[in-house]
Amino acid sequence: MTNSTNWHDVLAAAEIPMLLLRSEWSNLQSAVHLREAYWWRCVLARQQISHSEGLLLAASLAAQKAAPDLVEYFCEHAKEEAPHVAWATADLGYMETVTGRDCAVESVRIQHLIERQRVYLESGDVTSFLGYVLALEAFPGSERYWTTYAVRAGLPISCFQNVLGHAFSDVAHSDALRDIVDEISQARMPSLLDSLSLTFTDLSRALTDGMHVIVSAREEQMGDIH
């Protein structure tokens, strides 16, 4: 029998962290050019997504003992990640050309976020890892938002493959995750909710870091000119 209160708990736990994430994204857009803000978002997305398949496969192995009911979900989800890496890489490559920014730069925040997932999985804590997956997959973006953003930034819609692809696919992911979450015991929910909140916090801070990265790059460019 499913426990529908679990999903309500997820939505409640995500509400404030998501508001913070949106606020930091808005602040970044206000502080720098829209193209630079999107470049940084592409940096974060490519870095995070490049680890997704490996993490999901590790989760499927950890789940064999800790949560056998999640093995199939993690395996199937891992298969879906290959095109996402291609999308994120192509988007970032285009934005490097447009902005002149280095696409090899990475976020320390995202690195720490990924390392925390590895620690969870090495200890068999599949539930906390699921909280991370929830933060990334259970709250689909809006196709309208990104098509409007492309127009405002003067960018072709073709360099929004990753965010638009997720806007479509994450609707199905959200439904699947809701079913999974509603089967989790109450004893395991605190770990999931803590991880969900921590993931949003790390993503918010990573966006904030983008301001410093972009401003520093500008100053470097000005120094080269002079």
Side-chain angles (χ1 to χ4, degrees), residues 163-188:
V163 289
L164 290 177
H166 277 89
F168 289 117
S169 64
D170 284 355
V171 174
H173 289 167
S174 181
D175 291 341
L177 284 166
R178 177 171 183 160
D179 291 340
I180 289 169
V181 168
D182 280 345
E183 292 288 351
I184 292 177
S185 69
Q186 282 294 301
R188 293 164 61 194

Side-chain angles (χ1 to χ4, degrees), residues 12 30 44-45 64 79 95 98 107 144 177 183 195 207 212:
S30 299
L44 301 182
Q64 290 177 5
K79 294 176 184 176
M95 293 310 299
V98 170
S107 163
R144 178 181 294 181
L177 284 166
E183 292 288 351
S195 177
L207 286 174
H212 306 296

Side-chain angles (χ1 to χ4, degrees), residues 17 113 116-117 120 135 192-205:
L113 176 61
R116 189 164 67 246
Q117 307 319 305
Y120 288 150
L192 182 145
L193 298 177
D194 285 347
S195 177
L196 174 76
S197 180
L198 278 171
T199 299
F200 277 126
T201 298
D202 282 340
L203 293 174
S204 296
R205 289 173 176 168

Side-chain angles (χ1 to χ4, degrees), residues 23-176:
S23 175
E24 292 303 331
W25 173 235
S26 179
N27 290 342
L28 180 60
Q29 293 174 71
S30 299
V32 301
H33 192 282
L34 290 178
R35 292 186 177 189
E36 291 177 310
Y38 181 60
W39 163 79
W40 182 244
R41 187 162 181 138
C42 287
V43 167
L44 301 182
R46 199 276 303 271
Q47 184 180 357
Q48 178 268 313
I49 290 171
S50 67
H51 296 279
S52 290
E53 184 178 8
L55 287 174
L56 287 163
L57 289 174
S60 69
L61 293 175
Q64 290 177 5
K65 289 184 178 180
D69 51 318
L70 294 178
V71 172
E72 182 178 359
Y73 170 77
F74 288 137
C75 285
E76 290 302 313
H77 197 168
K79 294 176 184 176
E80 297 174 9
E81 287 304 306
H84 297 190
V85 174
W87 294 340
T89 300
D91 291 346
L92 180 56
Y94 183 86
M95 293 310 299
E96 180 189 27
T97 302
V98 170
T99 64
R101 302 289 180 228
D102 183 3
C103 69
V105 67
E106 291 195 337
S107 163
V108 173
R109 305 276 187 188
I110 298 298
Q111 181 182 341
H112 290 167
L113 176 61
I114 298 301
E115 287 302 320
R116 189 164 67 246
Q117 307 319 305
R118 291 197 176 109
V119 171
Y120 288 150
L121 294 174
E122 286 169 5
S123 66
D125 187 358
V126 177
T127 304
S128 291
F129 176 71
L130 186 62
Y132 163 80
V133 174
L134 273 170
L136 299 176
E137 305 282 353
F139 304 93
S142 162
E143 178 188 1
R144 178 181 294 181
Y145 173 84
W146 288 112
T147 52
T148 301
Y149 191 99
V151 173
R152 290 172 57 217
L155 292 168
I157 199 65
S158 59
C159 69
F160 289 79
Q161 294 180 71
N162 183 55
V163 289
L164 290 177
H166 277 89
F168 289 117
S169 64
D170 284 355
V171 174
H173 289 167
S174 181
D175 291 341

Side-chain angles (χ1 to χ4, degrees), residues 211-221:
M211 296 185 201
H212 306 296
V213 171
I214 292 167
V215 169
S216 295
R218 284 179 180 175
E219 291 174 349
E220 246 181 70
Q221 286 181 331

